[in-house]
Amino acid sequence: MFTISESVVVPRRHRPGRAHKRSDRCQSIAASAVNTKNNSGENTVDLALGRRIALATGVIGTILTPGAARAGKRLGGGPTGGIPLENFVPIPGTSPPILYYDIKGASGATGGVPKGARVAVHYDLKFRNITVGTSRQGAGVTGGTPIGFTVGAPAGTSGGPFIKAFNEGIKGMGVGTVRRLLVPPEYAYGPNEVLEIPANASVTLDIELLSVAKDPITRGVKGAVAE
C-alpha cells in the first residue's frame, strides 16, 4: 500500500512559520501565505489570498525552499535531460503542445488510464535544470511519498493534480511507465510565480505511474468514466 500525500505550493520569497494542515486518508494539504503590497508599497502577508492562489495554481507534494532548490538535483542536458528534442512527441489535444518522451515502458499518448480513475504517481518538477518539487524524498517503500489524484479532475481542486500537465501527460501511460514532459506555462503555473518558477515559465515534469485504484468487487478500474 502506498502512502499518498498532497501539499500546496509555497509562493516564492515567503515561507510561513506555521502551515495549516488537514488529513484525509493519508493525504495532507498545507495552506501557505503570499507576499502582497499595501498602499505604501510595503510587503504584507495575505493568508486568504495564499489559499486562493494555492487552489488556483495547484499543489506540490514535497516542497523545496528556494535555497534548497538551488542546491537540489540538477537535470543534466537542459530541459530535455540530454534526450534529443526531436525524440519528443506532442500529446494530442494539447495547445500549445506538451511534448513527451517515455523513458521507461513506451506507451503512446492515447488510451491508458481512464478519466475518473484514482492514480498514485511519483514526480519530479524541474525548472532550468533544478528540481523544484519532488515526491521522491522520504523513507517510503517506493523511495519517497507518492501523490494521488483523480484523472480528469480540475487542477488545484480537491482530488485533482496540482497542475494541468498531470491530466494531459498521463494519457496512454501504464503502470510502471516513466515519462518526461516538456510543459508550456499554460499547463503549469501560467502567470503565477511559484518558488523558483517565474511567471509564464515552461517546466520539465517527470511522472512515474505506480498504481491505478481497482474496484474490490469487479476488479475493474475504480471510478472510471466512459467517454
Side-chain angles (χ1 to χ4, degrees):
M1 178 178 291
F2 296 114
T3 299
I4 302 172
S5 71
E6 298 173 356
S7 312
V8 301
V9 298
V10 178
R12 191 180 183 184
R13 299 191 185 93
H14 181 79
R15 299 190 304 275
R18 183 178 180 181
H20 303 275
K21 298 181 179 180
R22 68 174 178 82
S23 60
D24 180 13
R25 298 187 63 188
C26 299
Q27 300 177 34
S28 64
I29 298 180
S32 60
V34 297
N35 288 332
T36 60
K37 289 189 176 182
N38 59 21
N39 292 334
S40 61
E42 297 175 338
N43 285 332
T44 61
V45 175
D46 186 339
L47 290 173
L49 179 59
R51 296 188 184 98
R52 290 197 295 273
I53 289 182
L55 289 174
T57 62
V59 295
I60 287 182
T62 297
I63 299 167
L64 302 183
T65 65
R70 285 190 290 271
K73 181 179 178 182
R74 289 182 177 272
L75 178 66
T80 68
I83 299 167
L85 183 60
E86 57 268 25
N87 290 357
F88 285 78
V89 180
I91 291 181
T94 59
S95 180
I98 297 174
L99 302 179
Y100 82 95
Y101 176 83
D102 285 339
I103 298 171
K104 176 183 176 183
S107 302
T110 57
V113 183
K115 190 174 182 179
R118 186 74 181 176
V119 298
V121 303
H122 266 319
Y123 81 93
D124 295 286
L125 179 67
K126 302 177 178 71
F127 171 69
R128 291 185 178 175
N129 303 349
I130 302 295
T131 300
V132 178
T134 181
S135 64
R136 296 185 182 278
Q137 289 188 339
V141 294
T142 61
T145 305
I147 65 167
F149 67 93
T150 300
V151 177
T157 64
S158 178
F162 61 80
I163 55 175
K164 296 177 182 179
F166 281 90
N167 276 331
E168 301 295 338
I170 204 168
K171 291 178 178 177
M173 291 181 68
V175 173
T177 300
V178 179
R179 176 170 289 181
R180 178 159 295 160
L181 304 169
L182 305 182
V183 183
E186 288 81 358
Y187 295 95
Y189 292 103
N192 300 294
E193 184 180 282
V194 176
L195 293 176
E196 297 293 279
I197 305 172
N200 300 311
S202 297
V203 298
T204 300
L205 178 65
D206 289 351
I207 303 175
E208 179 182 3
L209 179 56
L210 299 173
S211 67
V212 181
K214 299 287 187 180
D215 187 293
I217 298 176
T218 67
R219 303 307 300 166
V221 176
K222 186 176 181 179
V225 177
E227 298 187 72

